[in-house]
Amino acid sequence: MPTELNYWPLIGVAVVIAGFALRRNPVLVVVVAGLASGLAAGVTLPDLLALLGKTFVENRVLLLFLLTLPAIGVLEHHGLRERAKRWIAGFRGLTLARLQITYLAARQLISMTGLTHVAGHPQTVRPLLAPMSEAAAERTLDGELSNAERNTVRASAAATDNVGLFFGEDVFMAFGAVLLIQGFFASNGITLEPLAISLWALPTAVCAFVIHSIRLHFLQRRLLRERAASSTGGTDDAAR
Amino acid sequence: MLRVEYLYWLVGALLIVSAWLNLRDRRHAMGAFWLVLSAPFLFGNFVLDAHQRGSTWPAQAMGLAVIALGLLASRSRLSVREDSAEEHARRDSESLRLGNRLFMPALAIPAFTLILYFGAGTLSRQGLDLLDPKALTLSALGIASLLALIAALRVTRSPAVEAIHQGRHLLDALGWAVLLPMVLATLGGVFAATGVGDAIAALTSAMIPVDSRLACLLAFALGMVFFTVIMGNAFAAFPVMMAGIGLPLLIHQHGADPAILGAIGMLTGYCGTLLTPMAANFNIVPAVLLELPDQYGVIRSQVPTALALMLANILLMLLLVFR
């Protein structure tokens, strides 16, 4: 290895930024970025191909969630999402914000026990939380959702799942991130107990819950206000 | 022991069948895409074993497959498939007919994941490894999905072949987005192997006034966010920023508490994960799954939370780490 740093591999970062800015196909952008960085670092093509292939195979665990698709597909084909909507619509007093805040709390608490894969976008958000959120929003707004409103509510469902997962999982002391932190410090001569690290994830977990809950309240208020504005004759749907 | 490898083979089988159904419908790009993608699932262990023995050609072939997948992905567009009116009517009447029984198999996925996770964990402490201990929750999720599928077929009284068709429809709807998490993780590996992280850390630490602990802390926090946005993963950013700024400047020079800096520093990186299309499995895949017209819709919904939480984390670190 040369002693001075080689800055040329940074070209891969530039490729990523340019590719996403130009909205090229992300998969292709990422593959090209990997090739560019590798070649710029002076890795030979056969070695680079082997590196790409080996890392790709090592990460195949990321697609294990595909096994949920047949079950979800069958249930949706037989009206699971419609049923979820109808069930939620039967609850009086359940608003969009209350539903999503409850889900946020549950997702955070379950992640804190290390069960990060119990919920997720294919398992729970698409078949359950998203249609339930739509039904709750229809109740809150007292009417059918417009396309824009529906997309906002769905995006918020996905965001709520992410926030709950990210800021719950680190409180679990055997979670990968905590072990990564511990391992990094251990290899640099600082010994820490995993519990000592994971406990310090609690303040952020509380902040995340408070901040996102406030945002969900504001989202609901915004939807109500826009409804009120448009029903009084204004075509103010461009507001934000 | 039920090795996680068996579950990979099942994923491979699902991909092969989807490929065949697409090729039969003359959707060649999509069919070829699933066919190539099945290779790492069917031959994954063979590739890794061969690599360990020093034989690199299978890994190289897989590298060519990655490039082929990139080219095939750029040829297929993600399109939101509108359901036919017939399908809508069918779903409505089925949801009335089956009622709350439909929830049972759906909730079976999280419920069985929980049971298998704790059950296998308990047995494992007795010395009996039922599931792969290295991939316990994901193995549990995989098996729970299969049990839920059986329940779903029974509740809806559908033939087993329907599972394949419906699974394939969802898979086609996801399209290339499904692959993004895997290629991004691969890119992370390439970046790590080619020293991209070291170069970024060197550039950052050359730019900040190292005597100011506020400047160092801000550089560390913003560096975590920025690098996570680039890499799509706070795990990749953490060792880089820690080795570049956190350890030499904040901990050794300014006496910061390593446990607090590590924990909250990592979570500051997570704020970056909420902001980036590179974290595809959290940000792009759900946008496709929820049929949002805007690929970046989920990210847009997360930006205010991410920024507010980043500020909260910086304040927490300022208050807590220099005690």
Side-chain angles (χ1 to χ4, degrees):
Chain A
M1 283 299 272
T3 43
E4 61 189 275
L5 265 178
N6 179 3
Y7 286 104
W8 281 110
L10 286 177
I11 200 162
V13 177
V15 169
V16 167
I17 295 174
F20 275 105
L22 297 172
R23 294 205 171 214
R24 304 306 293 264
N25 183 286
V27 176
L28 190 61
V29 168
V30 169
V31 172
V32 171
L35 291 174
S37 265
L39 292 175
V43 183
T44 61
L45 195 59
D47 285 351
L48 185 56
L49 283 178
L51 175 66
L52 271 180
K54 179 172 164 276
T55 347
F56 189 66
V57 170
E58 281 171 345
N59 285 300
R60 66 198 186 287
V61 68
L62 286 168
L63 289 196
L64 210 51
F65 81 88
L66 294 183
L67 288 180
T68 59
L69 296 184
I72 302 288
V74 168
L75 290 171
E76 287 189 353
H77 188 56
H78 289 274
L80 174 64
R81 285 193 282 179
E82 287 72 12
R83 186 67 224 167
K85 272 189 191 174
R86 221 168 256 136
W87 188 68
I88 282 293
F91 282 95
R92 292 176 192 288
L94 187 67
T95 63
L96 171 65
R98 278 185 199 159
L99 173 71
Q100 291 197 347
I101 290 171
T102 310
Y103 184 89
L104 175 66
R107 184 77 158 115
Q108 270 195 305
L109 288 173
I110 293 172
S111 302
M112 282 180 194
T113 63
L115 292 161
T116 50
H117 293 286
V118 164
H121 299 289
Q123 307 96 300
T124 49
V125 176
R126 175 180 155 125
L128 297 171
L129 180 65
M132 287 178 174
S133 299
E134 287 173 36
E138 277 169 8
R139 160 181 290 285
T140 309
L141 297 180
D142 199 21
E144 289 260 310
L145 300 181
S146 70
N147 272 339
E149 284 167 342
R150 182 172 303 115
N151 291 332
T152 307
V153 168
R154 285 183 181 180
S156 174
T160 301
D161 186 76
N162 280 340
V163 172
L165 169 66
F166 290 4
F167 300 101
E169 61 187 10
D170 268 15
V171 180
F172 180 59
M173 60 177 172
F175 181 66
V178 176
L179 300 179
L180 178 84
I181 297 169
Q182 190 211 14
F184 175 87
F185 283 129
S187 64
N188 285 284
I190 301 176
T191 323
L192 292 172
E193 278 299 312
L195 189 64
I197 301 167
S198 62
L199 274 182
W200 286 108
L202 265 178
T204 304
V206 173
C207 289
F209 179 77
V210 172
I211 290 172
H212 198 67
S213 298
I214 293 173
R215 280 205 54 227
L216 290 173
H217 269 295
F218 278 125
L219 170 72
Q220 182 167 313
R221 282 235 311 249
R222 198 188 89 208
L223 289 173
L224 279 167
R225 214 173 40 233
E226 283 174 8
R227 246 323 149 83
S230 64
S231 66
T232 52
T235 48
D236 194 13
D237 55 300
R240 263 207 269 211
Chain B
M1 185 179 76
L2 191 135
R3 283 170 29 213
V4 72
E5 184 74 5
Y6 303 153
L7 295 172
Y8 291 144
W9 289 341
L10 270 179
V11 175
L14 176 67
L15 291 168
I16 290 253
V17 174
S18 300
W20 181 66
L21 290 172
N22 270 299
L23 290 174
R24 213 183 50 176
D25 293 350
R26 305 198 162 273
R27 295 162 45 119
H28 294 119
M30 190 104 253
F33 186 78
W34 297 134
L35 192 64
V36 178
L37 186 55
S38 68
F41 293 93
L42 296 175
F43 309 115
N45 267 19
F46 169 68
V47 172
L48 294 180
D49 287 348
H51 195 270
Q52 220 160 27
R53 285 197 312 270
S55 150
T56 51
W57 71 263
Q60 285 166 347
M62 208 53 84
L64 284 175
V66 175
I67 297 174
L69 285 169
L71 293 172
L72 284 168
S74 69
R75 290 176 51 109
S76 60
R77 301 189 128 265
L78 290 182
S79 57
V80 178
R81 189 176 57 105
E82 277 292 322
D83 291 322
S84 61
E86 190 187 336
E87 171 77 10
H88 269 298
R90 181 199 163 87
R91 288 183 181 192
D92 256 345
S93 67
E94 283 289 279
S95 87
L96 285 175
R97 181 174 76 86
L98 294 164
N100 285 347
R101 270 180 292 166
L102 276 169
F103 288 135
M104 199 268 288
L107 295 173
I109 298 181
F112 278 126
T113 308
L114 268 171
I115 293 169
L116 287 166
Y117 175 83
F118 284 116
T122 312
L123 286 178
S124 168
R125 275 188 293 282
Q126 314 284 327
L128 178 65
D129 279 325
L130 214 58
L131 302 178
D132 196 333
K134 285 195 295 280
L136 192 53
T137 36
L138 278 165
S139 305
L141 174 69
I143 296 167
S145 308
L146 297 179
L147 295 174
L149 174 61
I150 296 169
L153 291 175
R154 288 199 66 130
V155 166
T156 60
R157 294 171 194 250
S158 315
V161 58
E162 192 174 297
I164 294 166
H165 283 285
Q166 296 305 327
R168 174 244 167 153
H169 277 309
L170 278 180
L171 199 58
D172 281 358
L174 279 168
W176 55 256
V178 104
L179 182 65
L180 208 43
M182 244 173 110
V183 282
L184 283 163
T186 308
L187 180 67
V190 173
F191 276 3
T194 54
V196 169
D198 305 329
I200 288 190
L203 279 179
T204 328
S205 53
M207 280 189 300
I208 54 171
V210 292
D211 289 331
S212 156
R213 66 187 190 188
L214 178 65
C216 291
L217 187 64
L218 281 178
F220 173 72
L222 297 177
M224 275 300 295
V225 174
F226 173 75
F227 205 62
T228 304
V229 167
I230 297 293
M231 304 288 292
N233 189 334
F235 285 21
F238 184 83
V240 172
M241 297 314 296
M242 242 339 165
I245 301 176
L247 197 63
L249 299 177
L250 285 166
I251 294 176
H252 288 154
Q253 191 176 332
H254 294 294
D257 182 308
I260 307 176
L261 189 72
I264 306 183
M266 179 68 90
L267 290 167
T268 312
Y270 281 23
C271 298
T273 316
L274 292 175
L275 295 171
T276 177
M278 300 291 284
N281 45 340
F282 299 114
N283 296 335
I284 304 294
V285 171
V288 178
L289 270 175
L290 297 174
E291 292 157 24
L292 301 181
D294 179 7
Q295 261 180 54
Y296 297 156
V298 176
I299 296 180
R300 274 183 227 288
S301 179
Q302 287 168 169
V303 169
T305 302
L307 294 182
L309 198 53
M310 182 183 82
L311 279 180
N313 277 332
I314 292 176
L315 286 177
L316 281 172
M317 283 196 279
L318 270 178
L319 288 173
L320 297 170
V321 297
F322 300 116
R323 288 178 311 168

